[in-house]
Amino acid sequence: MAMHFIFSDEVVLLFDFWSVHSPTGMALSVLVILLLAVLYESIKVGKARLLYQALMNLSIPTSQQLIEETDQDSSSSDSLPVSRSPLRWFLCHFGQSLLHVAQVVVGYFMMLAVMSYNTWIFFGVVLGSGVGYYLAYPLLNMT
Amino acid sequence: GRSHHMGMNMDMSGGDNSTMPPHHHPTTSSDHSHDHMMMMMPMTFYFGFKNVELLFSSLVINTAGEMAGAFVAVFLLAMFYEGLKIAREGLLRKSQVSIRYNSMPVPGPNGTILMETHKTVGQQMLSFPHLLQTVLHIIQVVISYFLMLIFMTYNGYLCIAVAAGAGTGYFLFSWKKAVVVDITEHCH
């Protein structure tokens, strides 16, 4: 196993059937890995969004809502209200857990891909993380 | 907050690719010992329970029963890791109740004097909470690297155990956190 980064058109990635021999195959593989990294960043944002949804379903106002409330001078009561929908909260939390499993698996896949020490693949991971972060993180603040 | 929550999960994929000592089993015929070394570490996913080395030289799985035991142990380790992360978050939140306010007068426009207030939230270096957090951090780093190394065995059963344990741990420990800790955050 190579212990240093190399430029090569041959690599076997993750699975027995994913064996690359040609420049075309390598380009495609880099694209797939890039999309995998974009997916990883999106999952992180998705989890945060679901957490936000779960908090909404508990009827606990987030700091943003509190600011909006004070701006509007509303006179609603501020005691802890009964949760609006326990089932929706449970679904949000379960969804978060599924996303967490996906995040763990995709994260480890990316680590193993980098471990192939193929420089093209490494570039794909790094670029994909950048593109994924660029596209996904602005969606954090959209409500 | 939200960004803090996500910062905690970023160490999953950031495992360093430090050099791994290649397995070297002494062979009687030395002419193909080079090939022997190349095939010791699997580089693709496989399902099997024969001759699976797990982290330490004394931990070798050879039977289905041993694999089942290893599966449970890895599952629990991944669950414990998630719980440790949540517990550290909670401890940090609780120990940051101490807030220091420093107020000082500063000159404002038109000759007025304004009071500028600095709020410092944090722990002291030698306080027990900070030392405890440091010890827990070391444990967390060690376990996260162990989980990475386990995943690196490319053994399908063990990888599933890591993923399932992480998901179950997240589900169980984050549940309490989502209900309890965020309420206290609201009260602050």
Side-chain angles (χ1 to χ4, degrees):
Chain A
M1 202 182 82
M3 301 303 285
H4 47 268
F5 281 107
I6 55 169
F7 282 100
S8 164
D9 283 338
E10 296 206 359
V11 74
V12 180
L13 273 178
L14 295 175
F15 299 99
D16 282 327
F17 55 79
W18 196 349
S19 103
V20 184
H21 298 295
S22 62
T24 330
M26 179 53 77
L28 265 173
S29 299
V30 171
L31 187 64
V32 171
I33 291 290
L34 199 144
L35 292 175
L36 206 66
V38 171
L39 178 70
Y40 181 73
E41 299 294 329
S42 320
I43 288 177
K44 287 203 284 190
V45 170
K47 255 177 52 175
R49 289 285 297 264
L50 265 183
L51 180 67
Y52 182 78
Q53 292 265 335
L55 285 180
M56 300 283 282
N57 286 322
L58 270 179
S59 298
I60 295 188
T62 59
S63 52
Q64 202 168 12
Q65 280 178 305
L66 279 174
I67 291 170
E68 287 166 7
E69 270 187 17
T70 50
D71 279 346
Q72 293 165 7
D73 275 331
S74 74
S75 55
S76 57
S77 69
D78 55 348
S79 57
L80 277 177
V82 177
S83 67
R84 231 175 264 148
S85 171
L87 177 67
R88 276 207 70 190
W89 176 84
F90 180 82
L91 287 178
C92 274
H93 187 64
F94 191 71
Q96 271 180 276
S97 304
L98 289 181
L99 278 184
H100 185 74
V101 174
Q103 186 183 332
V104 167
V105 171
V106 173
Y108 275 125
F109 277 12
M110 279 164 50
M111 177 207 75
L112 292 174
V114 173
M115 218 173 77
S116 67
Y117 266 109
N118 187 292
T119 322
W120 300 121
I121 300 293
F122 181 64
F123 285 165
V125 168
V126 172
L127 215 65
S129 299
V131 169
Y133 179 88
Y134 181 74
L135 293 177
Y137 268 60
L139 299 175
L140 255 184
N141 298 322
M142 274 172 32
T143 48
Chain B
R2 232 178 274 143
S3 59
H4 183 68
H5 183 74
M6 291 201 294
M8 292 297 229
N9 287 322
M10 272 159 62
D11 54 6
M12 270 302 185
S13 75
D16 289 321
N17 296 319
S18 49
T19 54
M20 292 167 291
H23 294 267
H24 185 54
H25 287 234
T27 57
T28 48
S29 51
S30 55
D31 44 336
H32 56 260
S33 60
H34 185 68
D35 287 325
H36 203 63
M37 265 207 295
M38 294 287 277
M39 291 200 294
M40 273 285 111
M41 296 207 60
M43 297 303 289
T44 54
F45 286 112
Y46 72 97
F47 282 98
F49 50 82
K50 291 266 192 302
N51 200 23
V52 180
E53 287 192 358
L54 188 59
L55 292 178
F56 301 104
S57 56
S58 47
L59 286 179
V60 184
I61 302 166
N62 280 312
T63 70
E66 284 172 12
M67 178 53 82
F71 184 95
V72 172
V74 170
F75 184 92
L76 292 175
L77 188 68
M79 254 186 67
F80 177 74
Y81 177 72
E82 294 295 327
L84 184 61
K85 279 201 288 189
I86 306 290
R88 279 190 66 202
E89 274 180 46
L91 272 175
L92 194 65
R93 222 182 296 265
K94 264 194 269 184
S95 72
Q96 273 176 348
V97 176
S98 62
I99 299 174
R100 282 199 313 272
Y101 287 93
N102 296 325
S103 297
M104 61 196 80
V106 294
N110 301 331
T112 56
I113 303 279
L114 303 172
M115 284 300 281
E116 192 177 278
T117 306
H118 292 264
K119 179 174 142 177
T120 322
V121 180
Q123 303 171 313
Q124 294 202 303
M125 293 288 286
L126 287 180
S127 64
F128 176 72
H130 187 52
L131 291 175
L132 179 63
Q133 280 285 340
T134 308
V135 170
L136 291 180
H137 179 75
I138 294 174
I139 296 174
Q140 189 180 324
V141 166
V142 169
I143 294 182
S144 75
Y145 274 119
F146 276 11
L147 290 173
M148 178 199 78
L149 290 171
I150 291 171
F151 211 95
M152 238 167 62
T153 62
Y154 272 106
N155 185 292
Y157 299 123
L158 298 178
C159 293
I160 290 174
V162 171
T168 311
Y170 179 89
F171 182 75
L172 292 177
F173 294 110
S174 229
W175 177 304
K176 186 166 177 270
K177 174 197 157 197
V179 173
V180 174
V181 176
D182 286 294
I183 292 178
T184 55
E185 196 172 30
H186 167 65
C187 281
H188 278 320

